[in-house]
Amino acid sequence: MAHPSVPSDKTKGQIEAAVTEAITQFERDYLGRGPKEARSFIVENLVVVKLQGILSPAERQLSHENGGVELIKKMRTRLIESSSEDLSDLVADETGIDVVSMHTDISARTGERIFVFTLDADLEAALQNR
């Protein structure tokens, strides 16, 4: 039986697309620009979000300077950590399942960010069993 709050009218792909859109919009609203590419994946009780092309031109330039990579990572990590509850709420809203934890990392060399949200239940199984 499906988790009671999992959207009954949406497929796995539709939920993944909704999470991608919500995170992309958050990046635009909160950080001033969105990624060039974004994709989300539901794997058991995890939602993995991959954003590419998130660095500004100034950050790309800074990444080539001494200490620049560390500075970019530190700044971006602090910004995201200060809004981790908002991001978790976005994912919970789209999946219908509470988020237990959020993990993230950014590559200042490639301009890629990965989010991993751990859910309170196995969303993939809930979607398969309805």
Side-chain angles (χ1 to χ4, degrees):
M1 184 171 133
H3 191 279
S5 55
V6 172
S8 60
D9 60 335
K10 291 186 179 177
T11 65
K12 179 180 175 187
Q14 289 171 323
I15 294 171
E16 289 169 337
V19 168
T20 300
E21 180 56 36
I23 298 293
T24 298
Q25 189 61 51
F26 174 86
E27 289 265 328
R28 283 187 193 117
D29 294 344
Y30 188 69
L31 300 173
R33 63 184 311 247
K36 290 184 179 173
E37 294 179 40
R39 187 102 193 267
S40 297
F41 308 91
I42 296 168
V43 182
E44 296 179 1
N45 70 324
L46 302 175
V47 176
V48 179
V49 182
K50 179 180 170 185
L51 306 175
Q52 294 178 294
I54 63 165
L55 297 179
S56 69
E59 287 171 321
R60 284 195 303 275
Q61 179 64 35
L62 182 60
S63 73
H64 298 293
E65 296 181 16
N66 190 25
V69 168
E70 294 79 16
L71 184 62
I72 294 165
K73 283 183 73 110
K74 184 182 260 186
M75 180 195 66
R76 287 283 188 135
T77 298
R78 181 157 298 166
L79 286 170
I80 293 301
E81 284 176 357
S82 70
S83 59
S84 63
E85 191 172 317
D86 293 333
L87 285 161
S88 293
D89 288 346
L90 288 174
V91 172
D93 289 347
E94 297 300 338
T95 63
I97 300 177
D98 289 338
V99 173
V100 176
S101 63
M102 180 192 85
H103 311 275
T104 186
D105 197 12
I106 183 173
S107 170
R109 293 267 183 234
T110 65
E112 180 178 82
R113 175 185 288 287
I114 299 289
F115 288 102
V116 179
F117 297 89
T118 304
L119 304 178
D120 191 42
D122 187 334
L123 177 57
E124 188 173 39
L127 291 167
Q128 290 173 349
N129 293 330
R130 50 178 172 166

